[in-house]
Amino acid sequence: MLSGVFHGSILFLVSAGLQVVFGVQKIFNLACGSFYALGAYVGVSAVGWYVGAGGPPALFIAPLAVAGLAVGAVGVPVERGLLRFVYDRDETFQLLLTFAIVLMMEDAIRMTWGTSPRSTSGLYLTYGRVGVLGTTVPVYNLIVIGASLAIAVLIGWLLTRTTFGWIIRASADNREMTEALGVDMRRLHTTVFTLGTALGTLGGALVIPATAAMSEMGIELIVEAFAVVVIGGLGSMRGAFVGALVVGVLRSIAISVYPELEMLLIYLIVIAVLVLRPRGLFGGPPA
Amino acid sequence: MLTVDAVDVFIQASHILRSVSLGVGPREVVCLVGRNGAGKTTTLRTIMGYLRPRAGGVEFRGHPIHGRRTHEIARLGVGWAPEDCGIFGDLTVAENIEIATRTRPGGRPATERIELAFRVFPMLRRYAGRKGPELSGGERKMLSIARALALDPELLVLDEPFEGLAPAIIPAVSEGLAAITELGRSILIAESNIHHVPEYTHRLYVIERGAIVFAGAQEDAWRDPGLARIIGSAT
Ligand SMILES: Nc1ncnc2c1ncn2[C@@H]1O[C@H](COP(=O)(O)OP(=O)(O)OP(=O)(O)O)[C@@H](O)[C@H]1O
Ligand SMILES: [Mg+2]
């Protein structure tokens, strides 16, 4: 159950990035999975370097998070160099482009880090375990759950209280009108895409003490993130939050009860949502 | 203030505007009248920088603005209220107005600008906490103009501000616009219904099939029988 919440927290970070990019750019960014994978590999390397340099193990989470966030900067060249050319093209084309990015990044990761899984040896339990609700969980999981909650609150605050957040919500609704209020859309697109990317890479970095970084992890996560946005509703932050929790918890229940059914259960729910409530739990009214 | 000089505009392969020229002076209210599909929206969208003229130019306060991007034109002091109002449905009425003070800071203080927008359209005050989808057509029109005003512009460009309004609301909007000009702003209005052209309009342009066919005073337009046929039937 709590491992489901842990997985849900990671999933939330990546899905939140997916949602904010979809909201403003109207592009369903499959590459969010690759950014997640990239964050994981960079996280492994950063922690490896940190431990090698003699940093105290108890603080390994700091270089991990910093590296995860920093590598989000790769969003800038991806948006400026690729995505901006397809904003006026149709959705199929945009989707194909983001899929091309997935394939390119997968190759780039293989070339840089090789094909065998990479992990941070033994740091997962640095903080020990505690008993919660009758089970024991690694303290690291609780830290990540807490960080993810804090980020959720921060995003909520950003969207409702800051000018930047208002501009994001306004441009998600009406891009042309937002420009007519003096907002430089090109800059906004780069900023938002980089923010979305950084959420994905951070998610990837935070997951790797618990699991090894593997080149297929990106694709797997895209499938789950897709389930999250279908369940929560495309473009909705609250949807990402609830959807990620639902998918994370269901996945862990399925794994403990009947592992073969892991993804099947999630697909069944996705299909049920698509049939009964096509816009998801928090999706907007029909456009 | 604003000069549109012989612009030719194409949308894909179709030649939509043919050598359109018009001008708006300081504190003037100018109306661009034409039937459906005559090219009013295209003219205004060219001024706003959404469309680029293939020939001719647009000047605002001495700066050439054709070729500038929309957000730059807005920052120079042009407020825009599109035909579909462009209300941000996820923001409340009050936030729709306030956002304009945040995206173009500087000049008059935000509180003053917001207060002014509400003073011009007092009806909006009652709905301050509502969101876009809960508003009627007239309220949306007013909000869209109020937001343009909160940008603190020198010129307001309004696409069919009276379209689809209940007859009872038209005077409220019209009075609001009159109040705006008294504040020293200029207004350019596109209108398809000649009966909506406010009596305080300084100059009228009539556009037909992408070309200006009349420029002058409202009364003179009616005296021209050919023109009266065009604008008289423009409902
Ligand atoms: N995206 C487009 N592609 C092709 N033609 C267009 C496009 N937009 C407008 N037009 C054509 O340009 C002409 C002028 O349109 P415009 O919207 O400027 O008219 P309008 O005077 O604003 O009309 P209305 O009163 O209906 O708002 C019309 O004939 C229209 O068919
Ligand atoms: Mg029009």
Side-chain angles (χ1 to χ4, degrees), chain B residues 10-17 32-45 51 83 159-160 163 190-193 207 209-210 235:
Chain B
F10 287 72
I11 297 182
Q12 275 119 44
S14 13
H15 195 169
I16 309 285
L17 298 186
L32 176 64
V33 182
R35 327 186 222 216
N36 289 89
K40 305 178 295 292
T41 299
T42 307
T43 306
L44 302 195
R45 286 177 60 83
L51 297 167
E83 204 167 355
D159 197 357
E160 311 226 12
E163 189 197 30
E191 189 49 71
S192 58
N193 185 342
I207 187 169
R209 291 205 200 93
T235 44

Side-chain angles (χ1 to χ4, degrees), chain B residues 60-139:
Chain B
F60 176 65
R61 295 162 78 198
H63 308 275
I65 57 168
H66 54 278
R68 292 286 200 102
R69 289 168 60 209
T70 300
H71 75 274
E72 299 174 304
I73 296 170
R75 284 187 200 166
L76 284 171
V78 184
W80 165 240
E83 204 167 355
D84 66 3
C85 303
I87 303 302
F88 303 127
D90 199 32
L91 303 182
T92 65
V93 167
E95 288 168 346
N96 263 280
I97 292 175
E98 192 182 339
I99 191 172
T101 69
R102 298 193 183 193
T103 53
R104 186 177 182 241
R108 272 167 268 248
T111 45
E112 198 177 299
R113 285 154 68 172
I114 293 165
E115 178 53 31
L116 181 69
F118 277 120
R119 187 139 42 88
V120 170
F121 296 105
M123 243 186 223
L124 291 178
R125 239 185 262 269
R126 255 185 294 152
Y127 308 122
R130 283 200 200 168
K131 288 203 171 180
E134 302 164 47
L135 301 177
S136 72
E139 289 149 8

